[in-house]
Amino acid sequence: MKKALFAAAALTGALAVTAMPVMAEEPDYASMKIVLILPGSIDDQSWNASNNAGAKACDEQLGTSIEVVESVPVEEFEQTFTEYGEKGYDLIMSAGSQFDEACAAVAPQYPDSVYTVINGQVSDSDNMVPVFPKEYEGSYLAGIVAGYATENGSFAVMGGESNGPMVKLMDTYDAAAKAVCEERGLEFTTARSFVNSWSDVSATKSMADQMMDNGADTVFCYSNEGASGAVQSAEEKGGKFVAFASNKNEESSAVVASINMNWAGVYPWIIEGVAKGELTGAQQVGVAEGVFEPLFTDACSAECQDAVNAAVEAVSNGEVDFESMFSE
């Protein structure tokens, strides 16, 4: 994509501050120089794999040739952003809120490149277009599944790290699970824990083991590679697992359902919008945009599936008061 094709555009993003480039004609996606930077392996069966699937969907649907750079360590974030800015890439994408700080430091230096952080929220310059999934909407669906899956009303809730978005999604998970337990006449108890790692399978398994030994029979874990440790724990101890951010239905018989992040459906929207200048400033996407896709196993009852599908409709229609569920 030649920079000469860019022209000034009016704002469309509600959170944008100033105008950013827009295409003067229909984009030539095949000529766009795009890179996707990932913090982990595309084989993690979770966050990185789902974002890689989004890149592949763009290649198939739009004719792009997205370069994917995986397993980039934190200390190389700024260096990597700088490298592709220097190369004149049109769109420099990264997946994970941990990229926010590095992106904010580098993006203003390369105004002719657009920087997009998936799961990011910082938009300090005209060429930053973070796309934040409302994860708490997806975890709300997961909580409904868990509420139907549990036998004793005791839940183990785990995360790769503690941050604001993680706490919110845990809050809505708990709220949904509690509501279902109350309907079923079960006493609700929940325990939270943070592994402080997105990839340590062993540490995640040990933590899940301990929580299940303390009485939990249903496990939720939002992590990347590490989540497989929690799945193993649930299987070994005869518990249930509700997957989030990826499809783990075939990984273990302990998995009741997966709330998959369908980035394959969202990435083309992002690239089309950025190329045409229709996405500016911080963006938020959720259930209504099809980001969260419930995938059920045979272990998920028809009653549970009906409840989740009804919740999808309610969330999409703006009928769920999430703010009242947040603890902070």
Side-chain angles (χ1 to χ4, degrees), residues 80-97:
T80 307
F81 281 139
T82 300
E83 175 186 347
Y84 286 96
E86 287 288 338
K87 290 179 178 179
Y89 270 56
D90 300 296
L91 178 57
I92 300 166
M93 308 181 75
S94 56
S97 58

Side-chain angles (χ1 to χ4, degrees), residues 115-313:
Y115 284 77
T116 295
V117 177
I118 305 298
N119 213 30
Q121 300 183 77
V122 179
S123 182
D124 291 342
S125 60
D126 301 351
N127 63 329
M128 293 177 67
V129 185
V131 178
F132 183 74
K134 292 178 279 188
E135 295 170 323
Y136 55 83
E137 293 187 353
S139 61
Y140 177 76
L141 304 180
I144 293 173
V145 174
Y148 282 99
T150 186
E151 295 180 6
N152 66 6
S154 183
F155 302 87
V157 184
M158 306 170 62
E161 68 177 43
S162 177
N163 54 43
M166 181 70 76
V167 170
K168 284 186 175 181
L169 73 88
M170 289 181 169
D171 286 345
T172 59
Y173 175 88
D174 282 349
K178 181 179 180 181
V180 176
C181 283
E182 290 176 347
E183 291 178 2
R184 296 179 59 203
L186 293 175
E187 183 178 349
F188 170 83
T189 59
T190 185
R192 292 186 184 183
S193 204
F194 301 100
V195 188
N196 296 319
S197 170
W198 292 91
S199 59
D200 193 329
V201 175
S202 178
T204 306
K205 183 180 184 301
S206 295
M207 187 171 288
D209 284 344
Q210 181 178 356
M211 297 174 81
M212 295 197 75
D213 287 343
N214 288 336
D217 76 341
T218 303
V219 182
F220 171 88
C221 179
Y222 182 21
S223 183
N224 293 339
E225 293 96 331
S228 290
V231 175
Q232 293 171 24
S233 177
E235 181 174 356
E236 291 176 5
K237 293 183 176 294
K240 305 291 180 60
F241 187 87
V242 181
F244 186 71
S246 64
N247 181 8
K248 290 186 173 293
N249 288 1
E250 301 300 323
E251 188 169 324
S252 166
S253 59
V255 179
V256 179
S258 296
I259 306 301
N260 184 46
M261 280 194 185
N262 184 28
W263 289 114
V266 179
Y267 263 64
W269 171 79
I270 294 171
I271 290 181
E272 286 179 326
V274 167
K276 296 176 181 179
E278 295 172 354
L279 292 186
T280 59
Q283 304 290 319
Q284 292 195 14
V285 292
V287 168
E289 290 77 22
V291 177
F292 299 101
E293 175 186 32
L295 304 173
F296 306 110
T297 71
D298 291 340
C300 192
S301 68
E303 182 182 15
C304 175
Q305 294 183 38
D306 288 344
V308 172
N309 291 332
V312 168
E313 184 175 354

